[in-house]
Amino acid sequence: TTSPQMLRDMLLRLLSDDRAVPPTPKALSEQRSAVCQEFIKPLLAAHLMAVRCNLKEQGAASDLVAKISVSLCRYCAEFPVDRAFHEAGLDCKAASMINMAFFFLNRFLDIADAIEDPDNAAIDNTDFLDTDIPSPYDLDMPDECALSGTQIEEIRDWVLGWSMDQSVQQRVDMRPCDKCRTNIYAAALVCPNDKCRHQYEPCAVTGFPVVKKSRIECSSCHAACNREDWNNWVQVFKACPWCSTPQNAQY
């Protein structure tokens, strides 16, 4: 068992009082108990890491892995922030999501530079204001970067190449909000429009928001997923990613 899986299982047992069928991520996030408030984000981060480990072990769909790594940036206060953006960038690159790879690896370089020289760190957070990714100014920076100087320079070369490529834009994928139809960051669980603030459930496979037109749920625990991501997962693992009961594809 991977260490994210062990941590995830331990936290889920803690928050679900050892019930046979665990409460959904939505139900847990709505609980007001101090223990739920404290551990829901570490649980969701560990869950997504465990799902990603399982997918990578099976050599499964690179787009699912990329979505998970993008969602994990939302929880970058729970594990080293440089790792969060590095993994999101690399996994987007592997899935040919080059605009997103450019976006996240550029942020990784900003963070790596800030770790290297904290006194002169100036990270521009403008591009992230309408996302639910924490500001680097609200996070504790690691004492040292997870990558070597050579690895960082290789990423710097990629980012420089993309910056000179007219076909690549440093921007995140967008989608219309289910409620107000404003164009918003594709991975946001909350609409940033102040007049809307519509909240989404996280998909139990990818952590992406579950949108109305593709919402399905596990027949046992009722955890919500986006249909395509659920079907891609179930084809490989034959079980719900949240409660592990045997499940089938849903069309």
Side-chain angles (χ1 to χ4, degrees):
T1 309
T2 61
S3 48
Q5 185 74 47
M6 290 164 66
L7 176 60
R8 174 234 184 249
D9 293 348
M10 182 188 76
L11 288 171
L12 191 55
R13 278 199 302 275
L14 172 72
L15 297 189
S16 57
D17 299 324
D18 281 331
R19 272 176 275 177
V21 178
T24 65
K26 179 175 187 281
L28 287 173
S29 62
E30 287 172 350
Q31 282 186 26
R32 285 285 159 259
S33 71
V35 71
C36 257
Q37 293 294 303
E38 182 162 354
F39 290 114
I40 182 65
K41 286 183 178 178
L43 166 63
L44 293 173
H47 170 73
L48 290 174
M49 286 181 185
V51 169
R52 184 175 64 183
C53 276
N54 289 332
L55 286 166
K56 285 189 169 182
E57 280 171 9
Q58 295 293 327
S62 60
D63 61 324
L64 287 187
V65 170
K67 282 183 176 176
I68 292 167
S69 296
V70 167
S71 293
L72 277 163
C73 290
R74 189 190 305 132
Y75 306 114
C76 63
E78 311 304 326
F79 64 108
V81 60
D82 56 330
R83 225 182 83 203
F85 287 98
H86 175 243
E87 287 166 348
L90 280 198
D91 290 337
C92 284
K93 182 174 182 282
S96 301
M97 297 158 63
I98 301 302
N99 290 344
M100 292 274 269
F102 185 15
F103 185 81
F104 286 111
L105 288 177
N106 209 30
R107 168 50 51 106
F108 163 75
L109 291 174
D110 289 343
I111 288 166
D113 291 343
I115 294 168
E116 180 70 29
D117 186 7
D119 295 336
N120 292 307
I123 301 176
D124 180 3
N125 203 47
T126 316
D127 290 342
F128 287 80
L129 291 178
D130 287 336
T131 73
D132 48 8
I133 297 170
S135 163
Y137 296 105
D138 297 333
L139 301 171
D140 293 326
M141 287 288 166
D143 292 332
E144 54 185 51
C145 189
L147 271 68
S148 69
T150 313
Q151 290 169 308
I152 293 169
E153 288 316 306
E154 182 183 20
I155 290 167
R156 217 179 286 282
D157 288 343
W158 293 344
V159 167
L160 188 61
W162 289 330
S163 68
M164 293 190 274
D165 184 338
Q166 296 290 305
S167 68
V168 179
Q169 294 178 296
Q170 187 193 322
R171 60 181 171 83
V172 291
D173 293 347
M174 308 288 277
R175 65 175 173 85
C177 171
D178 276 352
K179 189 177 177 191
C180 71
R181 310 310 293 168
T182 303
N183 230 17
I184 65 172
Y185 170 50
L189 291 184
V190 182
C191 175
N193 179 352
D194 286 333
K195 292 178 180 167
C196 178
R197 307 299 292 172
H198 181 61
Q199 296 196 4
Y200 297 83
E201 294 171 80
C203 172
V205 177
T206 64
F208 258 53
V210 175
V211 294
K212 195 159 56 179
K213 70 173 186 291
S214 67
R215 186 186 190 282
I216 59 100
E217 59 179 47
C218 169
S219 63
S220 178
C221 71
H222 304 293
C225 291
N226 287 306
R227 180 180 284 104
E228 189 180 340
D229 298 334
W230 168 271
N231 288 344
N232 285 336
W233 169 269
V234 168
Q235 277 168 6
V236 179
F237 297 99
K238 319 293 185 205
C240 171
W242 188 250
C243 71
S244 302
T245 58
Q247 292 288 315
N248 297 313
Q250 298 188 34
Y251 296 103

Coordinates of all heavy atoms in Angstrom, one line a residue, residues 191-226:
C191 N -17.3 29.3 -7.8 CA -17.3 30.3 -8.8 C -16.8 31.6 -8.2 O -17.3 32.0 -7.2 CB -18.7 30.5 -9.4 SG -18.9 31.9 -10.5
P192 N -15.8 32.3 -8.9 CA -15.2 33.5 -8.3 C -16.1 34.7 -8.4 O -15.8 35.8 -7.9 CB -13.9 33.7 -9.1 CG -14.2 33.0 -10.4 CD -15.1 31.9 -10.1
N193 N -17.2 34.6 -9.2 CA -18.1 35.7 -9.4 C -18.8 36.0 -8.1 O -19.6 35.2 -7.6 CB -19.1 35.4 -10.5 CG -20.1 36.5 -10.8 OD1 -20.2 37.4 -10.0 ND2 -21.0 36.3 -11.8
D194 N -18.6 37.2 -7.5 CA -19.2 37.5 -6.2 C -20.7 37.4 -6.1 O -21.2 37.2 -5.1 CB -18.7 39.0 -5.8 CG -17.3 39.0 -5.4 OD1 -16.8 37.9 -4.9 OD2 -16.6 40.0 -5.5
K195 N -21.3 37.6 -7.3 CA -22.8 37.5 -7.3 C -23.3 36.1 -7.4 O -24.5 35.8 -7.3 CB -23.4 38.4 -8.4 CG -23.2 39.9 -8.2 CD -23.7 40.7 -9.4 CE -23.5 42.1 -9.2 NZ -23.7 42.9 -10.4
C196 N -22.4 35.2 -7.6 CA -22.8 33.8 -7.8 C -22.2 32.9 -6.7 O -23.0 32.4 -5.8 CB -22.3 33.3 -9.1 SG -22.6 31.5 -9.5
R197 N -20.9 32.7 -6.6 CA -20.2 31.9 -5.6 C -20.8 30.4 -5.5 O -20.8 29.8 -4.5 CB -20.3 32.5 -4.2 CG -19.9 33.9 -4.1 CD -18.4 34.1 -4.4 NE -17.5 33.5 -3.5 CZ -16.2 33.4 -3.7 NH1 -15.6 33.9 -4.8 NH2 -15.4 32.9 -2.8
H198 N -21.2 30.0 -6.7 CA -21.8 28.6 -6.8 C -20.7 27.6 -6.4 O -19.5 27.7 -6.8 CB -22.3 28.3 -8.2 CG -22.9 26.9 -8.4 ND1 -24.0 26.5 -7.7 CD2 -22.5 25.9 -9.2 CE1 -24.2 25.3 -8.0 NE2 -23.4 24.9 -8.9
Q199 N -21.0 26.6 -5.5 CA -20.0 25.6 -5.1 C -20.3 24.3 -5.8 O -21.4 23.9 -6.0 CB -20.1 25.4 -3.6 CG -19.8 26.7 -2.8 CD -19.5 26.5 -1.4 OE1 -19.5 25.3 -0.9 NE2 -19.2 27.5 -0.6
Y200 N -19.2 23.6 -6.1 CA -19.2 22.3 -6.8 C -18.6 21.2 -5.9 O -17.7 21.5 -5.0 CB -18.3 22.4 -8.0 CG -18.8 23.3 -9.1 CD1 -18.5 24.7 -9.0 CD2 -19.6 22.9 -10.2 CE1 -18.9 25.6 -10.0 CE2 -20.1 23.8 -11.1 CZ -19.7 25.1 -11.0 OH -20.2 26.0 -12.0
E201 N -19.1 20.0 -6.0 CA -18.5 18.9 -5.4 C -17.3 18.5 -6.1 O -17.2 18.5 -7.4 CB -19.5 17.7 -5.4 CG -20.8 17.8 -4.6 CD -21.7 16.7 -4.9 OE1 -21.6 15.6 -4.3 OE2 -22.7 16.9 -5.7
P202 N -16.2 18.0 -5.4 CA -15.0 17.5 -6.1 C -15.3 16.1 -6.7 O -15.8 15.3 -6.0 CB -13.9 17.5 -5.0 CG -14.7 17.4 -3.7 CD -16.0 18.0 -3.9
C203 N -14.9 15.9 -7.9 CA -15.0 14.5 -8.5 C -14.1 13.6 -7.7 O -12.9 13.9 -7.4 CB -14.5 14.6 -9.9 SG -14.4 13.0 -10.7
A204 N -14.6 12.4 -7.3 CA -13.9 11.5 -6.4 C -12.7 10.8 -7.2 O -11.8 10.3 -6.6 CB -14.8 10.4 -5.9
V205 N -12.7 11.0 -8.5 CA -11.6 10.5 -9.3 C -10.5 11.5 -9.5 O -9.3 11.3 -9.2 CB -12.0 10.0 -10.7 CG1 -10.8 9.5 -11.5 CG2 -13.0 8.8 -10.6
T206 N -10.9 12.7 -9.9 CA -9.9 13.7 -10.3 C -9.8 15.0 -9.4 O -8.8 15.7 -9.5 CB -10.2 14.3 -11.7 OG1 -11.5 15.0 -11.7 CG2 -10.3 13.2 -12.8
G207 N -10.8 15.2 -8.5 CA -10.8 16.4 -7.7 C -11.3 17.6 -8.5 O -11.5 18.7 -7.9
F208 N -11.6 17.5 -9.8 CA -12.2 18.5 -10.6 C -13.6 18.7 -10.2 O -14.3 17.8 -9.6 CB -12.1 18.2 -12.1 CG -11.0 18.9 -12.9 CD1 -9.7 18.8 -12.4 CD2 -11.3 19.6 -14.0 CE1 -8.7 19.5 -13.1 CE2 -10.2 20.3 -14.7 CZ -8.9 20.2 -14.2
P209 N -14.2 19.9 -10.4 CA -15.6 20.2 -10.1 C -16.5 19.2 -10.9 O -16.3 19.0 -12.1 CB -15.9 21.6 -10.4 CG -14.7 22.0 -11.3 CD -13.6 21.1 -11.0
V210 N -17.5 18.7 -10.2 CA -18.5 17.9 -10.9 C -19.6 18.8 -11.5 O -20.2 19.5 -10.7 CB -19.2 16.9 -9.9 CG1 -20.3 16.1 -10.6 CG2 -18.2 15.9 -9.3
V211 N -19.6 18.8 -12.8 CA -20.6 19.7 -13.5 C -21.9 19.0 -13.7 O -21.9 17.8 -13.9 CB -20.0 20.3 -14.8 CG1 -18.8 21.2 -14.5 CG2 -19.6 19.2 -15.7
K212 N -23.0 19.8 -13.8 CA -24.3 19.2 -13.8 C -24.6 18.2 -14.9 O -25.1 17.2 -14.7 CB -25.3 20.4 -13.8 CG -26.7 20.0 -13.5 CD -27.6 21.2 -13.1 CE -27.6 22.3 -14.1 NZ -28.4 23.5 -13.7
K213 N -24.1 18.6 -16.1 CA -24.4 17.8 -17.3 C -23.7 16.4 -17.3 O -24.1 15.5 -18.0 CB -24.2 18.5 -18.6 CG -22.7 18.8 -18.9 CD -22.5 19.4 -20.3 CE -21.1 19.5 -20.8 NZ -20.3 20.5 -20.0
S214 N -22.7 16.2 -16.5 CA -22.0 14.9 -16.5 C -21.9 14.3 -15.1 O -21.2 13.4 -14.9 CB -20.6 15.1 -17.1 OG -19.8 15.8 -16.2
R215 N -22.8 14.7 -14.2 CA -22.7 14.2 -12.8 C -23.3 12.8 -12.8 O -24.4 12.5 -13.2 CB -23.5 15.1 -11.9 CG -23.4 14.8 -10.4 CD -24.4 15.6 -9.6 NE -24.1 15.4 -8.2 CZ -24.5 14.4 -7.4 NH1 -25.2 13.4 -8.0 NH2 -24.2 14.3 -6.2
I216 N -22.5 11.9 -12.2 CA -23.0 10.6 -11.8 C -22.6 10.4 -10.4 O -21.7 11.1 -9.8 CB -22.6 9.5 -12.7 CG1 -21.0 9.4 -12.8 CG2 -23.1 9.7 -14.2 CD1 -20.5 8.3 -11.9
E217 N -23.1 9.3 -9.7 CA -22.6 9.0 -8.3 C -22.5 7.5 -8.1 O -23.2 6.7 -8.8 CB -23.5 9.7 -7.3 CG -24.9 9.3 -7.3 CD -25.7 10.1 -6.2 OE1 -25.6 11.3 -6.0 OE2 -26.5 9.4 -5.5
C218 N -21.7 7.2 -7.2 CA -21.5 5.8 -6.8 C -22.8 5.2 -6.2 O -23.5 5.9 -5.4 CB -20.4 5.7 -5.7 SG -20.3 4.0 -4.9
S219 N -23.2 4.0 -6.6 CA -24.5 3.5 -6.2 C -24.4 3.1 -4.7 O -25.5 2.9 -4.1 CB -24.9 2.3 -7.0 OG -23.9 1.2 -6.8
S220 N -23.2 3.0 -4.1 CA -23.1 2.6 -2.7 C -22.9 3.8 -1.8 O -23.8 4.1 -0.9 CB -21.9 1.6 -2.6 OG -21.8 1.3 -1.2
C221 N -21.8 4.6 -2.0 CA -21.6 5.7 -1.1 C -22.1 7.0 -1.5 O -22.1 8.0 -0.8 CB -20.1 5.8 -0.8 SG -19.1 6.4 -2.2
H222 N -22.5 7.1 -2.8 CA -23.1 8.3 -3.4 C -22.1 9.4 -3.6 O -22.4 10.6 -3.8 CB -24.3 8.8 -2.7 CG -25.4 7.8 -2.6 ND1 -26.1 7.3 -3.6 CD2 -25.8 7.1 -1.5 CE1 -26.9 6.4 -3.2 NE2 -26.8 6.2 -1.9
A223 N -20.8 9.1 -3.6 CA -19.7 10.1 -4.0 C -19.9 10.5 -5.4 O -20.2 9.6 -6.3 CB -18.3 9.5 -3.8
A224 N -19.9 11.8 -5.7 CA -20.1 12.3 -7.1 C -18.8 12.3 -7.9 O -17.7 12.4 -7.4 CB -20.6 13.7 -7.0
C225 N -19.1 12.0 -9.2 CA -18.0 12.1 -10.2 C -18.5 12.6 -11.5 O -19.7 12.6 -11.8 CB -17.5 10.6 -10.5 SG -16.6 9.9 -9.1
N226 N -17.5 13.1 -12.3 CA -17.9 13.4 -13.7 C -17.9 12.1 -14.5 O -16.9 11.2 -14.4 CB -16.8 14.4 -14.3 CG -17.0 15.8 -13.8 OD1 -18.1 16.3 -13.8 ND2 -16.0 16.3 -13.2

